[in-house]
């Protein structure tokens, strides 16, 4: 099985090899995601965590998940053209909804069975929260949120016949109403992230062309945006509870900076490990928390209590371990745990 990336419709899958920067961007983002989850795990153990480590996580939090939604939106129209509405929905069910349900159930079961070692407090009610409160289930909420956002956007595009401008306006309305949806995180996640997916769809025609690709990779734009990026992240660190519209602006600045950085790295083919990590980002996302729990326990039992050292070891260990476990599971014909069985038809041309 070829590695499927986190947004499921990247340039490689669509036969467009020049979008290698997408994997770079996802690689950087998933490393930051792993950093956040490793830090939370260490905090739950009671070990003293230095404030600079916490601030580093909080400062770079604003754009990580919005970037994934934006990247997915970039290739929405290409996926729709290739598969049609029904085929695209089936594809997203296979690659987002199905693994989310499977792995959420697996993770909850393991946390119940091994409750003595787990940081989370789970019960039978947690299985219902898979659909109601995915935010309470650690990291897996993103897959459900992206599926719901994609499905709703697809419905509005194909059935309600919303144009791109109307989709953007709906995203802004959702963003304004999102604070009222916090008690039900399934709704909140859609309302918070719909705007980023919509922006991705809207800018795709301008961004995914040869001239734009060449412009993205020019270092001068990266340098020009650097002070704006640095200031916006510093501002976000000092104002964690800010207006969601301002949050969206900061998230978009961060996302653009990561896209420019990724395009520059891809142009010179440097730090290719980011591209490799991005290729396996879905499987890292699914597996890293469970594997890190075991690794964390082993490291602490070995007498390693220095938090920065533990954090580095956990990040450096959880990522390749996730890829190794994924490949091993494929070898033993367990690929059905990662991708659903629904048949995906191509669009009639």
């Amino acid at each position: 099985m070829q590695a499927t990336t986190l947004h499921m419709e990247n340039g490689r899958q669509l036969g467009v090899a020049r979008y290698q920067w997408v994997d770079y961007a996802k690689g950087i983002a998933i490393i930051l995601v792993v950093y956040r989850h490793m830090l939370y795990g260490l905090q739950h153990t009671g070990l003293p965590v230095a404030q600079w480590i916490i601030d580093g996580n909080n400062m770079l939090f604003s754009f990580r998940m919005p970037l994934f939604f934006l990247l997915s939106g970039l290739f929405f129209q290409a996926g729709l053209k290739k598969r049609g509405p029904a085929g695209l929905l089936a594809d997203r069910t296979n690659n987002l909804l199905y693994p989310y349900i499977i792995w959420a159930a697996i993770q909850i079961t393991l946390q119940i069975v091994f409750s003595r070692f787990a940081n989370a407090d789970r019960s039978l009610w947690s299985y219902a929260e898979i659909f109601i409160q995915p935010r309470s289930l650690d990291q897996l909420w993103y897959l459900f949120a992206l599926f719901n956002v994609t499905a709703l956007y697809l419905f509005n595009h194909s059935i309600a016949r919303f144009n791109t401008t109307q989709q953007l306006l709906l995203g802004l309305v959702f963003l304004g109403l999102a604070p009222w949806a916090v008690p039900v995180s399934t709704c909140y996640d859609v309302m918070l992230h719909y705007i980023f997916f919509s922006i991705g769809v809207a800018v795709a025609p301008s961004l995914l062309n040869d001239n734009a690709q060449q412009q993205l990779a020019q270092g001068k734009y990266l340098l020009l945006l650097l002070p704006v990026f640095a200031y916006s992240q510093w501002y976000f660190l000092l104002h964690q509870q800010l207006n969601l519209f301002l949050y969206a602006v900061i998230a978009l600045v961060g996302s653009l900076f990561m896209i420019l950085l990724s395009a520059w790295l891809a142009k010179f083919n440097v730090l290719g490990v980011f591209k490799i990590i991005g290729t396996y980002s879905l499987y890292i996302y699914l597996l890293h928390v469970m594997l890190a729990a075991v690794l964390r326990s082993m490291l602490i039992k070995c007498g390693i209590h220095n938090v920065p050292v533990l954090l580095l070891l956990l990040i450096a260990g959880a990522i390749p371990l996730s890829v190794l476990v994924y490949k091993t599971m494929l070898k033993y014909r367990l690929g059905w745990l990662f991708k659903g069985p629904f048949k995906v038809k191509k669009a009639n041309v």
Side-chain angles (χ1 to χ4, degrees), residues 40-185:
Y40 280 174
L42 289 173
Q43 286 179 308
H44 287 153
T45 65
L47 291 172
V49 180
Q51 189 61 43
W52 66 269
I53 298 177
I54 298 172
D55 288 345
N57 168 63
N58 290 336
M59 181 181 292
L60 300 173
F61 173 68
S62 66
F63 62 85
R64 283 176 283 201
M65 303 321 291
L67 175 59
F68 281 125
F69 281 89
L70 193 150
L71 291 175
S72 188
L74 280 178
F75 297 97
F76 171 82
Q77 289 289 358
L80 185 62
K81 182 179 179 181
K82 179 181 180 180
R83 297 189 170 96
L88 180 59
L89 185 61
D91 177 75
R92 296 307 168 93
T93 300
N94 283 337
N95 291 301
L96 293 173
L97 182 61
Y98 176 89
Y100 165 70
I101 294 172
I102 291 290
W103 286 98
I106 291 173
Q107 186 163 302
I108 290 169
T109 303
L110 291 175
Q111 288 169 334
I112 291 174
V113 173
F114 299 102
S115 58
R116 193 165 54 129
F117 305 99
N119 286 326
D121 183 19
R122 299 291 180 228
S123 66
L124 293 178
W125 175 249
S126 300
Y127 292 104
E129 290 181 330
I130 291 175
F131 301 100
I132 303 170
Q133 294 288 9
R135 285 270 184 169
S136 69
L137 303 177
D138 301 323
Q139 83 286 4
L140 294 174
W141 65 268
Y142 163 75
L143 297 178
F144 195 41
L146 182 55
F147 173 80
N148 289 331
V149 167
T150 305
L152 181 57
Y153 193 99
L154 179 62
F155 175 86
N156 289 334
H157 174 85
S158 301
I159 305 300
R161 298 295 181 183
F162 283 15
N163 59 35
T164 302
T165 301
Q166 290 169 325
Q167 296 273 30
L168 289 168
L169 290 174
L170 179 61
L172 291 174
V173 171
F174 279 169
L175 195 62
L177 296 176
W180 282 273
V182 168
V184 182
S185 62

Side-chain angles (χ1 to χ4, degrees), residues 7 19 24 29 42 56 58 68 81 88 159 181 185 192 227 244 275-276 288 294 297 312 320:
H7 67 284
Y19 302 137
Y24 273 93
L42 289 173
N58 290 336
F68 281 125
K81 182 179 179 181
L88 180 59
I159 305 300
S185 62
L192 180 63
L244 287 182
K275 180 171 65 174
I276 296 171
H288 75 278
V294 177
S297 178
L312 287 174

Side-chain angles (χ1 to χ4, degrees), residues 87-328:
L88 180 59
L89 185 61
D91 177 75
R92 296 307 168 93
T93 300
N94 283 337
N95 291 301
L96 293 173
L97 182 61
Y98 176 89
Y100 165 70
I101 294 172
I102 291 290
W103 286 98
I106 291 173
Q107 186 163 302
I108 290 169
T109 303
L110 291 175
Q111 288 169 334
I112 291 174
V113 173
F114 299 102
S115 58
R116 193 165 54 129
F117 305 99
N119 286 326
D121 183 19
R122 299 291 180 228
S123 66
L124 293 178
W125 175 249
S126 300
Y127 292 104
E129 290 181 330
I130 291 175
F131 301 100
I132 303 170
Q133 294 288 9
R135 285 270 184 169
S136 69
L137 303 177
D138 301 323
Q139 83 286 4
L140 294 174
W141 65 268
Y142 163 75
L143 297 178
F144 195 41
L146 182 55
F147 173 80
N148 289 331
V149 167
T150 305
L152 181 57
Y153 193 99
L154 179 62
F155 175 86
N156 289 334
H157 174 85
S158 301
I159 305 300
R161 298 295 181 183
F162 283 15
N163 59 35
T164 302
T165 301
Q166 290 169 325
Q167 296 273 30
L168 289 168
L169 290 174
L170 179 61
L172 291 174
V173 171
F174 279 169
L175 195 62
L177 296 176
W180 282 273
V182 168
V184 182
S185 62
T186 295
C187 298
Y188 174 73
D189 289 331
V190 171
M191 298 177 80
L192 180 63
H193 296 104
Y194 196 90
I195 185 63
F196 301 109
F197 188 93
S198 300
I199 290 172
V201 178
V203 302
S206 301
L207 197 61
L208 301 181
N209 61 69
D210 291 337
N211 181 59
Q213 296 300 299
Q214 293 175 7
Q215 294 298 316
L216 285 176
Q218 292 192 25
K220 64 180 180 180
Y221 297 116
L222 184 64
L223 290 175
L224 285 172
L225 191 60
L226 177 59
V228 181
F229 169 76
Y231 176 77
S232 66
Q233 298 309 303
W234 178 255
Y235 184 89
F236 181 76
L237 173 64
L238 300 179
H239 303 83
Q240 292 286 294
Q241 302 298 323
L242 45 69
N243 178 279
L244 287 182
F245 290 100
L246 181 55
Y247 158 76
V249 172
I250 292 173
L252 288 171
V253 169
S255 296
L256 178 57
F257 183 81
M258 287 300 130
I259 288 172
L260 293 174
L261 175 61
S262 300
W264 185 81
L265 292 173
K267 177 182 178 180
F268 296 100
N269 197 28
V270 296
L271 294 177
V273 65
F274 290 159
K275 180 171 65 174
I276 296 171
I277 291 172
T279 301
Y280 291 97
S281 53
L282 171 62
Y283 312 114
I284 295 168
Y285 188 81
L286 287 170
L287 296 169
H288 75 278
V289 168
M290 289 178 283
L291 295 173
V294 177
L295 183 59
R296 182 178 63 244
S297 178
M298 292 173 57
L299 291 172
I300 292 175
K301 285 183 178 180
C302 288
I304 302 175
H305 296 96
N306 183 286
V307 170
V309 172
L310 279 171
L311 189 60
L312 287 174
L313 289 175
L314 287 171
I315 295 172
I319 291 174
L321 272 176
S322 298
V323 177
L324 178 62
V325 169
Y326 163 68
K327 288 189 171 184
T328 302

